[in-house]
Amino acid sequence: MSYRSPCAACEFHGRRCHENCIFAPYFPSTDPERFESINRIYGARTVGTMLQQTPVHFREDAVETMLFEARARIEDPIYGSVGIISRMQHEIVVARYKMAVMQLQIA
């Protein structure tokens, strides 16, 4: 088994990065914050398990989704991404209201 320079996950845990490391394609050592955010919310073991259970062609999307949710959860520990969605829905309602008022003024 050959080794490579450690990915961000292996570097974070102070271990060697094997050529078949499940984390390496998604967590480059040049962007350690990417792994640290996901690890903080989900834990490396859970992320590894999720990646193993996800078909290879969906793994990048899975990592991006976990990263989005992890960053949202760090920013807002109570609501996470649901808080973002709620705020956006509120902004849509406000914009529709303003648009209706402007259409009435024009008419």
Side-chain angles (χ1 to χ4, degrees):
M1 186 168 287
S2 64
Y3 299 99
R4 62 166 91 209
S5 60
C7 65
C10 291
E11 195 171 87
F12 182 84
H13 289 100
R15 62 182 180 221
R16 290 184 175 167
C17 191
H18 297 276
E19 67 181 36
N20 60 351
C21 174
I22 191 113
F23 299 108
Y26 314 105
F27 301 105
S29 61
T30 56
D31 190 2
E33 185 273 333
R34 183 177 168 91
F35 173 75
E36 290 168 9
S37 295
I38 288 177
N39 184 52
R40 181 173 166 188
I41 299 302
Y42 297 104
R45 184 173 296 189
T46 301
V47 174
T49 300
M50 285 194 281
L51 288 175
Q52 288 172 341
Q53 294 175 352
T54 303
V56 175
H57 60 282
F58 289 129
R59 287 181 183 172
E60 182 65 37
D61 290 337
V63 169
E64 291 302 320
T65 301
M66 285 187 280
L67 183 61
F68 177 79
E69 179 59 35
R71 287 177 174 163
R73 188 64 58 181
I74 290 167
E75 181 76 25
D76 184 349
I78 303 298
Y79 296 107
S81 62
V82 172
I84 294 169
I85 293 166
S86 295
R87 286 190 299 275
M88 292 175 88
Q89 287 175 332
H90 177 73
E91 288 178 22
I92 289 170
V93 168
V94 170
R96 284 183 178 157
Y97 173 77
K98 287 180 180 180
M99 190 168 77
V101 168
M102 288 169 61
Q103 287 173 337
L104 286 173
Q105 289 174 347
I106 291 171

XYZ file of all heavy atoms in Angstrom:
862
model
N 0.851 -1.176 0.000
C 0.000 0.000 0.000
C 0.893 1.233 0.000
O 1.797 1.351 0.794
C -0.893 -0.030 1.244
C -1.903 1.064 1.265
S -3.165 0.827 2.525
C -4.090 -0.488 1.778
N 0.628 2.165 -0.908
C 1.466 3.357 -0.982
C 0.779 4.508 -0.236
O -0.418 4.501 0.003
C 1.728 3.736 -2.436
O 0.534 4.092 -3.075
N 1.586 5.479 0.109
C 1.097 6.636 0.850
C 1.267 7.875 0.001
O 2.092 7.941 -0.885
C 1.865 6.801 2.166
C 1.711 5.629 3.097
C 2.683 4.641 3.176
C 0.584 5.505 3.885
C 2.530 3.566 4.035
C 0.422 4.432 4.746
C 1.401 3.466 4.807
O 1.245 2.410 5.643
N 0.494 8.860 0.269
C 0.565 10.152 -0.403
C 0.696 11.226 0.663
O 0.588 10.938 1.848
C -0.696 10.374 -1.238
C -1.933 10.401 -0.347
C -3.166 10.934 -1.009
N -3.899 9.849 -1.608
C -4.661 9.984 -2.661
N -4.786 11.147 -3.226
N -5.330 8.982 -3.152
N 0.877 12.463 0.217
C 0.853 13.534 1.212
C -0.559 13.556 1.777
O -1.532 13.310 1.062
C 1.219 14.873 0.578
O 0.310 15.216 -0.433
N -0.699 13.811 3.051
C -2.009 13.654 3.686
C -3.055 14.640 3.164
O -2.752 15.801 2.896
C -1.735 13.885 5.164
C -0.431 14.570 5.234
C 0.317 14.233 3.992
N -4.275 14.138 3.023
C -5.406 15.010 2.727
C -5.722 15.788 4.014
O -5.130 15.523 5.063
C -6.603 14.186 2.270
S -7.280 13.092 3.541
N -6.640 16.722 3.944
C -6.963 17.530 5.126
C -7.494 16.672 6.274
O -7.203 16.938 7.434
C -7.980 18.606 4.758
N -8.244 15.609 5.948
C -8.792 14.744 6.997
C -7.682 13.974 7.696
O -7.633 13.921 8.931
C -9.815 13.775 6.404
N -6.793 13.364 6.919
C -5.700 12.592 7.513
C -4.724 13.511 8.244
O -4.227 13.170 9.319
C -4.977 11.785 6.432
S -5.998 10.442 5.764
N -4.489 14.686 7.675
C -3.609 15.659 8.320
C -4.201 16.100 9.649
O -3.499 16.205 10.659
C -3.422 16.861 7.394
C -2.283 17.755 7.763
C -2.041 18.776 6.666
O -2.692 19.842 6.708
O -1.223 18.510 5.776
N -5.499 16.350 9.674
C -6.190 16.766 10.898
C -6.049 15.714 11.988
O -5.861 16.032 13.150
C -7.670 17.007 10.591
C -8.470 17.489 11.762
C -8.506 18.838 12.087
C -9.197 16.605 12.546
C -9.248 19.290 13.166
C -9.938 17.040 13.633
C -9.964 18.392 13.936
N -6.125 14.442 11.608
C -6.032 13.357 12.573
C -4.613 12.830 12.753
O -4.408 11.879 13.510
C -6.973 12.206 12.168
C -8.402 12.563 12.371
N -9.221 12.979 11.351
C -9.164 12.611 13.503
C -10.408 13.243 11.831
N -10.408 13.044 13.133
N -3.642 13.438 12.064
C -2.244 13.070 12.233
C -1.923 11.652 11.803
O -1.171 10.944 12.466
N -2.473 11.251 10.686
C -2.203 9.900 10.205
C -1.770 9.932 8.748
O -1.902 10.944 8.062
C -3.436 9.014 10.370
C -4.636 9.479 9.588
C -5.832 8.583 9.826
N -6.954 9.082 9.058
C -8.182 9.143 9.491
N -8.472 8.725 10.702
N -9.135 9.591 8.732
N -1.260 8.809 8.276
C -0.855 8.687 6.883
C -2.092 8.591 6.000
O -3.104 8.042 6.395
C -0.001 7.446 6.677
C 1.352 7.564 7.308
C 2.158 6.341 6.983
N 3.511 6.504 7.483
C 4.364 5.530 7.579
N 4.026 4.306 7.212
N 5.561 5.752 8.031
N -1.947 9.091 4.802
C -3.054 9.082 3.850
C -2.779 7.998 2.815
O -1.873 8.124 2.000
C -3.177 10.449 3.191
S -4.681 10.677 2.235
N -3.545 6.935 2.847
C -3.384 5.839 1.912
C -3.930 6.234 0.542
O -4.792 7.099 0.430
C -4.125 4.595 2.415
C -3.593 4.085 3.712
N -2.514 3.260 3.788
C -3.986 4.315 4.993
C -2.260 2.980 5.053
N -3.141 3.616 5.806
N -3.472 5.552 -0.480
C -3.918 5.883 -1.840
C -5.421 5.662 -2.032
O -6.032 6.266 -2.897
C -3.139 5.102 -2.883
C -3.395 3.618 -2.882
C -2.581 2.885 -3.925
O -1.429 3.271 -4.161
O -3.120 1.929 -4.488
N -6.035 4.813 -1.228
C -7.475 4.588 -1.336
C -8.263 5.320 -0.234
O -9.383 4.920 0.098
C -7.792 3.088 -1.320
C -7.315 2.414 -0.051
O -6.603 3.021 0.750
N -7.690 1.160 0.144
N -7.703 6.382 0.288
C -8.360 7.173 1.346
C -9.679 7.726 0.810
O -9.718 8.394 -0.221
C -7.443 8.314 1.789
S -8.205 9.448 2.967
N -10.753 7.465 1.511
C -12.084 7.897 1.087
C -12.237 9.417 1.135
O -13.027 9.996 0.408
C -13.189 7.208 1.938
C -14.560 7.453 1.325
C -13.191 7.705 3.358
C -15.183 6.232 0.796
N -11.434 10.072 1.975
C -11.531 11.524 2.134
C -10.716 12.305 1.102
O -11.057 13.439 0.782
C -11.044 11.932 3.533
C -11.842 11.350 4.651
C -11.324 10.351 5.459
C -13.119 11.812 4.931
C -12.052 9.823 6.506
C -13.858 11.292 5.979
C -13.321 10.289 6.759
N -9.631 11.740 0.617
C -8.665 12.469 -0.215
C -9.271 13.184 -1.415
O -8.915 14.345 -1.675
C -7.535 11.537 -0.648
N -10.174 12.588 -2.185
C -10.701 13.304 -3.349
C -11.536 14.539 -3.000
O -11.716 15.424 -3.825
C -11.591 12.267 -4.049
C -11.168 10.950 -3.517
C -10.666 11.210 -2.130
N -12.023 14.620 -1.787
C -12.970 15.674 -1.424
C -12.426 16.686 -0.418
O -13.035 17.745 -0.237
C -14.253 15.029 -0.858
C -14.698 13.885 -1.722
C -14.505 12.563 -1.321
C -15.244 14.116 -2.982
C -14.880 11.502 -2.136
C -15.611 13.064 -3.808
C -15.419 11.759 -3.376
O -15.781 10.717 -4.194
N -11.320 16.347 0.233
C -10.757 17.218 1.263
C -9.264 17.417 1.041
O -8.435 16.826 1.732
C -11.026 16.626 2.656
C -12.478 16.432 2.941
C -13.039 15.158 2.913
C -13.296 17.512 3.212
C -14.388 14.970 3.167
C -14.649 17.337 3.463
C -15.191 16.064 3.432
N -8.890 18.271 0.076
C -7.467 18.498 -0.194
C -6.785 19.201 0.981
O -7.424 19.949 1.731
C -7.483 19.388 -1.435
C -8.806 20.079 -1.393
C -9.758 19.103 -0.753
N -5.506 18.953 1.111
C -4.757 19.565 2.216
C -4.674 21.080 2.068
O -4.406 21.779 3.036
C -3.353 18.968 2.297
O -2.656 19.212 1.104
N -4.927 21.583 0.874
C -4.874 23.029 0.632
C -6.093 23.765 1.186
O -6.099 24.994 1.230
C -4.769 23.307 -0.877
O -5.877 22.670 -1.538
C -3.458 22.788 -1.439
N -7.120 23.019 1.605
C -8.335 23.636 2.135
C -8.782 22.914 3.411
O -9.816 22.255 3.439
C -9.445 23.587 1.082
C -10.661 24.425 1.445
O -10.641 25.093 2.505
O -11.635 24.395 0.677
N -8.004 23.045 4.491
C -8.329 22.307 5.720
C -9.657 22.728 6.353
O -10.315 21.918 6.997
C -7.152 22.589 6.646
C -6.535 23.829 6.119
C -6.800 23.850 4.646
N -10.082 23.969 6.152
C -11.330 24.450 6.748
C -12.522 23.638 6.255
O -13.481 23.406 6.988
C -11.520 25.939 6.424
C -12.734 26.568 7.092
C -14.015 26.404 6.284
O -13.954 26.276 5.052
O -15.095 26.378 6.909
N -12.429 23.188 5.022
C -13.501 22.387 4.414
C -13.764 21.129 5.253
O -14.910 20.838 5.603
C -13.086 22.042 2.985
C -14.061 21.295 2.169
C -13.466 21.120 0.758
N -14.207 20.177 -0.016
C -15.222 20.486 -0.804
N -15.607 21.741 -0.897
N -15.856 19.563 -1.483
N -12.706 20.411 5.585
C -12.870 19.210 6.405
C -13.218 19.567 7.842
O -14.079 18.935 8.453
C -11.614 18.335 6.386
C -11.719 17.187 7.347
C -12.526 16.095 7.050
C -11.080 17.217 8.567
C -12.674 15.049 7.951
C -11.209 16.174 9.471
C -12.012 15.093 9.160
N -12.566 20.569 8.395
C -12.792 20.930 9.795
C -14.248 21.300 10.063
O -14.805 20.926 11.102
C -11.847 22.053 10.207
C -10.399 21.597 10.292
C -9.406 22.742 10.411
O -9.829 23.902 10.610
O -8.202 22.471 10.294
N -14.882 22.003 9.121
C -16.297 22.364 9.293
C -17.175 21.124 9.339
O -18.031 20.979 10.210
C -16.761 23.264 8.141
O -16.088 24.488 8.163
N -16.962 20.231 8.383
C -17.768 19.016 8.318
C -17.486 18.119 9.523
O -18.405 17.560 10.125
C -17.522 18.279 6.985
C -18.185 19.070 5.857
C -18.041 16.855 7.020
C -17.975 18.498 4.482
N -16.228 17.999 9.892
C -15.858 17.167 11.039
C -16.471 17.700 12.325
O -16.935 16.930 13.169
C -14.331 17.102 11.157
C -13.881 16.189 12.269
O -14.295 15.037 12.345
N -13.017 16.696 13.129
N -16.510 19.006 12.465
C -17.057 19.638 13.670
C -18.532 19.293 13.870
O -18.987 19.066 14.994
C -16.887 21.153 13.571
C -17.382 21.919 14.741
C -17.012 23.369 14.586
N -17.754 24.183 15.524
C -17.753 25.495 15.531
N -17.028 26.153 14.647
N -18.452 26.165 16.399
N -19.278 19.224 12.783
C -20.714 18.970 12.869
C -21.032 17.479 12.825
O -21.837 16.984 13.610
C -21.473 19.711 11.755
C -21.268 21.229 11.885
C -22.957 19.356 11.743
C -21.713 21.833 13.211
N -20.399 16.745 11.914
C -20.757 15.335 11.708
C -19.793 14.335 12.329
O -20.198 13.234 12.672
C -20.851 15.028 10.205
C -21.919 15.802 9.502
C -21.604 16.893 8.695
C -23.256 15.459 9.634
C -22.592 17.601 8.037
C -24.253 16.163 8.981
C -23.896 17.233 8.186
O -24.875 17.938 7.545
N -18.518 14.688 12.405
C -17.503 13.745 12.861
C -16.964 12.934 11.688
O -17.708 12.568 10.781
N -15.678 12.657 11.722
C -15.016 11.976 10.608
C -15.587 10.580 10.371
O -15.763 10.163 9.221
C -13.509 11.900 10.853
N -15.872 9.872 11.414
C -16.395 8.504 11.252
C -17.738 8.512 10.512
O -17.966 7.726 9.598
C -16.548 7.824 12.602
C -17.005 6.378 12.469
C -16.982 5.690 13.783
N -15.573 5.658 14.212
C -15.108 4.999 15.239
N -15.931 4.293 15.975
N -13.840 5.020 15.559
N -18.609 9.422 10.886
C -19.912 9.519 10.230
C -19.757 9.923 8.768
O -20.415 9.352 7.893
C -20.807 10.538 10.965
O -20.959 10.112 12.318
C -22.163 10.670 10.308
N -18.884 10.889 8.501
C -18.659 11.331 7.124
C -18.096 10.177 6.293
O -18.544 9.929 5.170
C -17.724 12.559 7.072
C -17.373 12.918 5.637
C -18.381 13.744 7.764
N -17.125 9.454 6.843
C -16.558 8.305 6.137
C -17.609 7.257 5.830
O -17.662 6.720 4.714
N -18.469 6.978 6.792
C -19.545 6.000 6.595
C -20.513 6.481 5.515
O -20.915 5.707 4.640
C -20.299 5.753 7.911
O -19.382 5.258 8.881
C -21.429 4.761 7.729
N -20.878 7.748 5.567
C -21.799 8.284 4.555
C -21.181 8.213 3.165
O -21.864 7.862 2.196
C -22.201 9.719 4.893
C -23.198 9.809 6.026
S -23.986 11.424 6.198
C -22.732 12.358 7.032
N -19.888 8.532 3.058
C -19.230 8.462 1.758
C -19.168 7.027 1.244
O -19.392 6.780 0.056
C -17.828 9.071 1.831
C -17.779 10.584 1.964
C -16.345 11.055 2.141
C -18.413 11.256 0.757
N -18.879 6.092 2.113
C -18.821 4.695 1.697
C -20.179 4.194 1.223
O -20.254 3.365 0.317
C -18.313 3.815 2.844
C -16.849 3.995 3.116
C -16.400 3.257 4.366
O -17.200 2.901 5.219
N -15.088 3.040 4.477
N -21.235 4.688 1.802
C -22.577 4.238 1.447
C -23.177 5.007 0.271
O -24.263 4.678 -0.186
C -23.499 4.345 2.662
C -23.117 3.401 3.774
C -23.950 3.590 5.029
O -24.723 4.527 5.145
N -23.778 2.685 5.977
N -22.467 6.034 -0.195
C -22.939 6.849 -1.311
C -22.264 6.388 -2.591
O -21.040 6.212 -2.612
C -22.609 8.338 -1.051
O -23.208 8.735 0.183
C -23.108 9.231 -2.165
N -23.012 6.198 -3.669
C -22.370 5.840 -4.938
C -21.322 6.886 -5.330
O -21.512 8.087 -5.087
C -23.533 5.839 -5.936
C -24.755 5.617 -5.103
C -24.471 6.283 -3.776
N -20.237 6.437 -5.911
C -19.097 7.315 -6.220
C -19.530 8.548 -7.007
O -19.071 9.659 -6.722
C -18.003 6.537 -6.989
C -16.878 7.457 -7.425
C -17.464 5.407 -6.136
N -20.418 8.397 -7.966
C -20.808 9.541 -8.800
C -21.668 10.570 -8.053
O -21.907 11.657 -8.572
C -21.498 9.077 -10.091
C -22.741 8.279 -9.867
N -22.714 6.945 -9.509
C -24.043 8.626 -9.939
C -23.954 6.504 -9.390
N -24.772 7.498 -9.636
N -22.107 10.268 -6.834
C -22.865 11.224 -6.031
C -22.050 11.786 -4.861
O -22.529 12.649 -4.132
C -24.129 10.587 -5.458
C -25.191 10.299 -6.474
C -25.756 9.036 -6.546
C -25.631 11.271 -7.350
C -26.749 8.754 -7.466
C -26.621 11.005 -8.280
C -27.180 9.741 -8.339
N -20.856 11.312 -4.659
C -20.092 11.693 -3.463
C -19.736 13.177 -3.424
O -19.812 13.795 -2.360
C -18.828 10.844 -3.337
C -19.138 9.430 -2.902
C -17.901 8.603 -2.761
N -18.261 7.226 -2.410
C -17.413 6.239 -2.365
N -16.124 6.440 -2.630
N -17.823 5.026 -2.059
N -19.348 13.742 -4.544
C -19.004 15.171 -4.553
C -20.217 16.002 -4.128
O -20.094 16.927 -3.323
C -18.516 15.606 -5.932
C -18.084 17.066 -6.003
C -16.857 17.374 -5.149
O -15.946 16.541 -5.065
O -16.817 18.479 -4.557
N -21.378 15.669 -4.655
C -22.607 16.376 -4.255
C -22.907 16.169 -2.777
O -23.342 17.098 -2.092
C -23.793 15.907 -5.095
C -23.709 16.357 -6.543
O -23.015 17.354 -6.822
O -24.331 15.693 -7.395
N -22.690 14.963 -2.285
C -22.923 14.680 -0.869
C -22.007 15.522 0.011
O -22.445 16.100 1.017
C -22.722 13.197 -0.580
N -20.738 15.622 -0.368
C -19.784 16.425 0.397
C -20.180 17.900 0.352
O -20.164 18.583 1.388
C -18.345 16.216 -0.111
C -17.402 17.243 0.496
C -17.871 14.805 0.202
N -20.559 18.398 -0.814
C -20.970 19.806 -0.927
C -22.204 20.080 -0.076
O -22.312 21.126 0.560
C -21.237 20.181 -2.382
C -19.987 20.229 -3.242
C -18.939 21.206 -2.743
O -19.299 22.318 -2.287
O -17.746 20.863 -2.799
N -23.133 19.144 -0.034
C -24.337 19.296 0.776
C -23.996 19.291 2.262
O -24.491 20.131 3.027
C -25.342 18.170 0.451
O -25.663 18.240 -0.936
C -26.611 18.296 1.278
N -23.134 18.350 2.670
C -22.718 18.316 4.079
C -21.974 19.588 4.452
O -22.161 20.129 5.549
C -21.834 17.098 4.348
C -22.588 15.800 4.405
S -21.535 14.411 4.915
C -20.688 14.038 3.382
N -21.152 20.099 3.547
C -20.403 21.322 3.813
C -21.345 22.511 3.968
O -21.194 23.320 4.890
C -19.385 21.577 2.701
C -18.482 22.778 2.877
C -17.642 22.636 4.141
C -17.586 22.943 1.663
N -22.334 22.606 3.082
C -23.312 23.698 3.184
C -24.033 23.641 4.527
O -24.150 24.646 5.229
C -24.312 23.615 2.025
C -25.378 24.668 2.102
C -25.123 25.968 1.693
C -26.635 24.366 2.606
C -26.104 26.942 1.776
C -27.620 25.331 2.694
C -27.354 26.627 2.276
N -24.522 22.458 4.881
C -25.253 22.313 6.148
C -24.336 22.554 7.344
O -24.738 23.202 8.311
C -25.898 20.934 6.251
C -26.637 20.709 7.551
C -27.769 21.682 7.827
O -28.449 22.111 6.887
O -27.980 22.013 9.026
N -23.102 22.065 7.277
C -22.174 22.257 8.395
C -21.886 23.738 8.602
O -21.923 24.237 9.743
C -20.873 21.496 8.135
N -21.616 24.455 7.523
C -21.347 25.897 7.649
C -22.580 26.644 8.154
O -22.463 27.565 8.966
C -20.867 26.453 6.318
C -19.456 26.017 5.992
C -19.000 26.508 4.651
N -17.591 26.193 4.425
C -17.018 26.208 3.242
N -17.712 26.529 2.165
N -15.734 25.915 3.123
N -23.752 26.257 7.665
C -24.989 26.887 8.132
C -25.214 26.584 9.611
O -25.636 27.446 10.376
C -26.172 26.404 7.296
N -24.922 25.366 10.031
C -25.122 24.958 11.423
C -24.116 25.659 12.339
O -24.452 26.014 13.468
C -24.987 23.440 11.531
C -25.330 22.835 12.833
C -26.743 22.973 13.266
N -27.703 22.402 12.330
C -29.003 22.432 12.519
N -29.512 22.964 13.617
N -29.820 21.930 11.642
N -22.903 25.884 11.849
C -21.904 26.624 12.637
C -22.347 28.078 12.797
O -22.248 28.658 13.877
C -20.507 26.519 11.990
C -19.974 25.084 12.142
C -19.537 27.534 12.598
C -18.760 24.767 11.289
N -22.859 28.649 11.717
C -23.335 30.038 11.726
C -24.583 30.195 12.608
O -24.723 31.166 13.342
C -23.651 30.472 10.294
C -24.123 31.882 10.156
C -23.019 32.901 10.275
O -21.859 32.567 10.010
O -23.328 34.044 10.637
N -25.499 29.245 12.511
C -26.757 29.291 13.250
C -27.021 27.906 13.838
O -27.655 27.060 13.207
C -27.891 29.696 12.301
C -29.227 29.866 13.008
O -29.356 29.475 14.195
O -30.158 30.382 12.371
N -26.507 27.640 15.058
C -26.602 26.301 15.641
C -28.029 25.785 15.852
O -28.243 24.585 15.903
C -25.900 26.441 16.997
C -25.055 27.650 16.875
C -25.748 28.551 15.905
N -28.989 26.665 15.941
C -30.364 26.236 16.174
C -31.047 25.823 14.873
O -31.608 24.742 14.768
C -31.195 27.353 16.858
C -30.549 27.797 18.166
C -32.640 26.899 17.072
C -30.443 26.729 19.223
N -31.011 26.678 13.868
C -31.782 26.441 12.652
C -30.970 25.953 11.452
O -31.534 25.375 10.532
C -32.550 27.708 12.256
C -33.577 28.100 13.281
C -33.381 29.197 14.111
C -34.732 27.350 13.454
C -34.321 29.548 15.065
C -35.671 27.686 14.404
C -35.461 28.794 15.204
O -36.387 29.128 16.150
N -29.671 26.215 11.433
C -28.844 25.746 10.324
C -29.376 26.203 8.984
O -29.783 27.355 8.818
N -29.421 25.302 8.014
C -29.868 25.672 6.672
C -31.361 25.989 6.630
O -31.818 26.738 5.764
C -29.537 24.566 5.671
O -30.202 23.378 6.014
N -32.134 25.471 7.572
C -33.565 25.785 7.627
C -33.750 27.287 7.890
O -34.659 27.915 7.337
C -34.285 24.938 8.695
C -35.719 25.383 8.891
C -34.229 23.475 8.314
N -32.876 27.861 8.694
C -32.932 29.301 8.937
C -32.687 30.095 7.672
O -33.364 31.095 7.415
N -31.740 29.635 6.858
C -31.456 30.306 5.585
C -32.680 30.220 4.678
O -33.098 31.214 4.071
C -30.228 29.673 4.897
C -28.980 29.937 5.719
C -30.070 30.191 3.473
C -27.764 29.147 5.268
N -33.269 29.050 4.586
C -34.445 28.854 3.736
C -35.600 29.728 4.220
O -36.283 30.378 3.411
C -34.841 27.366 3.706
C -33.757 26.563 2.988
C -36.203 27.166 3.053
C -33.860 25.061 3.167
N -35.809 29.784 5.518
C -36.897 30.610 6.070
C -36.694 32.084 5.752
O -37.650 32.783 5.382
C -37.004 30.416 7.579
O -37.380 29.110 7.880
N -35.455 32.555 5.916
C -35.173 33.966 5.599
C -35.407 34.247 4.117
O -35.975 35.286 3.757
C -33.752 34.327 6.007
C -33.568 34.482 7.516
C -32.212 35.072 7.877
N -31.088 34.262 7.442
C -30.570 33.241 8.121
N -31.102 32.884 9.279
N -29.533 32.576 7.661
N -35.001 33.321 3.266
C -35.192 33.522 1.825
C -36.679 33.515 1.464
O -37.125 34.321 0.639
C -34.441 32.454 1.042
C -32.929 32.607 1.164
S -32.059 31.264 0.368
C -31.925 31.926 -1.279
N -37.444 32.634 2.076
C -38.884 32.611 1.821
C -39.534 33.917 2.267
O -40.411 34.441 1.588
C -39.533 31.416 2.518
C -39.213 30.098 1.852
C -39.763 28.895 2.603
O -39.934 28.938 3.822
N -40.013 27.825 1.883
N -39.084 34.444 3.403
C -39.605 35.723 3.882
C -39.265 36.840 2.901
O -40.114 37.697 2.605
C -39.058 36.037 5.275
C -39.496 37.368 5.791
N -40.787 37.609 6.218
C -38.825 38.539 5.922
C -40.883 38.869 6.599
N -39.709 39.447 6.426
N -38.030 36.833 2.383
C -37.624 37.843 1.405
C -38.474 37.761 0.137
O -38.823 38.787 -0.448
C -36.145 37.698 1.063
C -35.228 38.139 2.185
C -33.757 37.941 1.845
O -33.400 37.872 0.650
O -32.958 37.866 2.794
N -38.844 36.557 -0.278
C -39.697 36.382 -1.451
C -41.075 36.975 -1.194
O -41.644 37.683 -2.046
C -39.794 34.892 -1.845
C -38.463 34.423 -2.419
C -40.930 34.655 -2.843
C -38.365 32.918 -2.607
N -41.634 36.719 -0.011
C -42.949 37.261 0.342
C -42.900 38.785 0.333
O -43.797 39.448 -0.220
C -43.414 36.726 1.724
C -44.615 37.491 2.249
C -43.711 35.243 1.633
N -41.866 39.364 0.925
C -41.724 40.822 0.963
C -41.586 41.374 -0.457
O -42.224 42.381 -0.807
C -40.524 41.231 1.852
C -40.207 42.705 1.702
C -40.807 40.887 3.308
N -40.779 40.733 -1.293
C -40.585 41.199 -2.672
C -41.892 41.126 -3.458
O -42.205 42.048 -4.231
C -39.504 40.370 -3.356
N -42.658 40.051 -3.271
C -43.958 39.935 -3.960
C -44.913 41.029 -3.512
O -45.656 41.599 -4.315
C -44.564 38.561 -3.706
C -43.917 37.474 -4.510
C -44.595 36.148 -4.275
N -43.971 35.122 -5.113
C -44.007 33.837 -4.862
N -44.654 33.385 -3.796
N -43.432 32.973 -5.664
N -44.898 41.327 -2.232
C -45.756 42.388 -1.712
C -45.370 43.730 -2.329
O -46.230 44.478 -2.801
C -45.665 42.453 -0.188
C -46.405 43.625 0.412
C -47.791 43.595 0.539
C -45.729 44.761 0.827
C -48.489 44.669 1.058
C -46.412 45.848 1.351
C -47.780 45.790 1.465
O -48.466 46.865 1.980
N -44.084 44.033 -2.339
C -43.615 45.300 -2.915
C -43.955 45.379 -4.398
O -44.331 46.437 -4.898
C -42.105 45.444 -2.706
C -41.717 45.739 -1.275
C -40.210 45.873 -1.133
C -39.819 46.159 0.300
N -38.360 46.291 0.464
N -43.827 44.260 -5.093
C -44.139 44.240 -6.508
C -45.635 44.497 -6.726
O -46.029 45.249 -7.618
C -43.740 42.906 -7.125
C -43.818 42.902 -8.640
S -43.043 41.464 -9.381
C -44.286 40.218 -9.073
N -46.474 43.912 -5.897
C -47.917 44.131 -6.009
C -48.270 45.594 -5.757
O -49.104 46.177 -6.470
C -48.661 43.216 -5.046
N -47.624 46.194 -4.757
C -47.877 47.602 -4.458
C -47.449 48.470 -5.629
O -48.178 49.382 -6.039
C -47.119 48.017 -3.160
C -47.122 49.532 -2.987
C -47.741 47.345 -1.944
N -46.296 48.170 -6.218
C -45.817 48.958 -7.368
C -46.743 48.787 -8.575
O -47.015 49.757 -9.302
C -44.392 48.553 -7.718
C -43.391 49.037 -6.682
S -41.715 48.365 -6.836
C -41.220 48.918 -8.426
N -47.261 47.583 -8.787
C -48.183 47.368 -9.899
C -49.471 48.145 -9.709
O -50.035 48.690 -10.668
C -48.475 45.869 -10.053
C -47.313 45.100 -10.638
C -47.534 43.592 -10.648
O -48.332 43.076 -9.870
N -46.818 42.905 -11.518
N -49.929 48.228 -8.457
C -51.115 49.044 -8.175
C -50.856 50.521 -8.415
O -51.721 51.240 -8.932
C -51.589 48.821 -6.739
C -52.289 47.499 -6.452
C -52.548 47.334 -4.958
C -53.599 47.423 -7.224
N -49.669 50.993 -8.058
C -49.322 52.393 -8.262
C -49.236 52.714 -9.749
O -49.622 53.798 -10.178
C -48.004 52.721 -7.561
C -48.121 52.748 -6.057
C -46.767 52.936 -5.368
O -45.731 52.821 -5.983
N -46.830 53.252 -4.078
N -48.712 51.768 -10.524
C -48.593 51.978 -11.963
C -49.974 52.005 -12.615
O -50.234 52.813 -13.503
C -47.708 50.881 -12.602
C -46.273 51.070 -12.149
C -47.790 50.908 -14.125
C -45.350 49.936 -12.543
N -50.862 51.134 -12.150
C -52.208 51.055 -12.728
C -52.996 52.256 -12.254
O -53.552 53.038 -12.840
C -52.911 49.789 -12.250
